Amino acid sequence: ELRSFMFENVYSIGSEVNNPIDIKKLIYTLYDYYLEHPEKMPGEYYKGQEDAERYVVDYISGMTDYYALNAYKNINGRV
C-alpha cells in the first residue's frame, strides 16, 4: 500500500499534467543552464567560476522534485 502511494504521489514528477518529464533530460538541462548562467543560482551557491561544476551539482542535488520541475519549465519558457 505504501509503495503504491509513493508511486502515485511522490515519484510521479510531471504526472499532474499527464505528460511525464524525462528526468535525465531535466537534470542535464538544469546542469547545462546553471553552468552557463551561474549567477542565476542563489548567492550561497554562486561563488565564481572556479569549481563551477561542483556548485551547480550541489545546487541541483538540493532541489526538491517540484522545484526542479519548475526551474526546468522556467528555463524552457513553459511557465
Side-chain angles (χ1 to χ4, degrees), residues 4-6 9 12 14 18 23 26 37 44 46 50 52 71-72:
S4 294
F5 173 83
M6 294 300 285
N9 298 290
S12 59
N18 294 323
I23 302 302
L26 181 146
H37 306 282
E44 64 267 21
Y46 178 53
E50 187 176 320
Y72 176 80

Side-chain angles (χ1 to χ4, degrees), residues 4-71:
S4 294
F5 173 83
M6 294 300 285
F7 274 97
E8 289 174 21
N9 298 290
V10 178
Y11 303 141
S12 59
I13 186 169
S15 64
E16 70 278 359
V17 292
N18 294 323
N19 185 17
I21 300 294
D22 179 352
I23 302 302
K24 194 175 198 179
K25 180 179 176 185
L26 181 146
I27 298 297
Y28 281 117
T29 299
L30 293 177
Y31 179 81
D32 291 341
Y33 177 79
Y34 288 116
L35 196 58
E36 289 181 30
H37 306 282
E39 72 282 358
K40 300 289 186 179
M41 295 186 294
E44 64 267 21
Y45 292 99
Y46 178 53
K47 300 174 184 169
Q49 289 298 322
E50 187 176 320
D51 292 328
E53 294 90 359
R54 169 59 35 207
Y55 301 137
V56 171
V57 169
D58 289 346
Y59 181 51
I60 294 171
S61 69
M63 292 180 175
T64 64
D65 292 346
Y66 290 105
Y67 187 90
L69 179 60
N70 285 331

Side-chain angles (χ1 to χ4, degrees), residues 66-79:
Y66 290 105
Y67 187 90
L69 179 60
N70 285 331
Y72 176 80
K73 287 179 180 178
N74 287 333
I75 289 168
N76 287 308
R78 292 189 253 152
V79 178

